[in-house]
Amino acid sequence: MVTKPPKATERPGKKATAKQPKKAVRTSTKGKKKTVKKAVTKARSPKKSLPVPTTTARKTLNGTVFYLASGHGGPDPGAIGHLGKQLLPEDEYAYDVTIRLAQLLKQQGATVYMMVQDPNDGIRNDAVLKLDYDEVAYPNQRIPLNQTARLDQTTTAVNRLYARHKSGYQRLITIHVDSRSQGQTIDVFFYHHDRSPVGKRLAKHIHQRFKTNYKRHQPSRPYSGKVSTRNTLYVVKNSHPPTVFIELGNIQNQLDQRRFLIADNRQALASWMAQGILDDYRSR
């Protein structure tokens, strides 16, 4: 049995204790049909407050190419958090945010390659995302358990596609959930290679969007996410396109868990990333 999601709702990283409001039922009179209207929770849909335009005369990202790699997958679920007796697998939450980002980029006209694919999981709105092992690597390869072999599989596929597309705006974004001690809260943070000024610029644009959105929606809550170099990360070191490695939070910490347990928050994470990508593309 799936446990109910935490009663406290928040935007990514927010400490919140308010209970979710009950559904408000509004019933019409005078013989009209009954209509049911759900009350909006405090974790408002980012579609209202964090829009990424989906219908424009000219789609902004036409001609761009993105390689999106969610962490782990297949036989390796990555880090495992816990919500009561329920398991919270890193790969499932990273994949859900990644596929939401893919949808937003495609709506803007981008070509998007999902480097990890799940044949039966699209966007999910559950709090607890069921662990499975059926993910495959692009285009349809079995994911090896060995970490080096798995990372090499991803970078090899990305580099081949990068060479095929030859030029233009191409970027690799890989999304993970960190695992630290239960008492440690962390914000979303970003890595790039120190010899990739283009990757650094993309990381800073996404990071700036996170800072701006936190200041707008949570002015009393400081945002401590950072942009830094991490040359030792295999994908950052060996991928040819400019790369940004994103950590969404600490899967072991209850406050950080709300950042990705709540579906609206996962959508907000993807939306803020998409906004930063658009900023980067327009500033090139």
Side-chain angles (χ1 to χ4, degrees), residues 148-201:
T148 302
R150 185 179 66 254
L151 296 174
D152 182 70
Q153 181 183 60
T154 298
T155 54
T156 298
V158 167
N159 292 343
R160 285 174 178 169
L161 290 167
Y162 180 74
R164 183 188 305 172
H165 286 280
K166 295 182 180 179
S167 60
Y169 188 97
Q170 300 187 61
R171 302 292 185 269
L172 167 61
I173 297 174
T174 180
I175 298 174
H176 292 251
V177 185
D178 206 358
S179 180
R180 303 191 183 187
S181 63
Q182 289 185 354
Q184 185 176 4
T185 60
I186 58 175
D187 271 319
V188 181
F189 56 94
F190 310 87
Y191 294 130
H192 63 89
H193 199 285
D194 67 358
R195 292 196 298 273
S196 176
V198 179
K200 179 180 180 180
R201 187 188 70 187

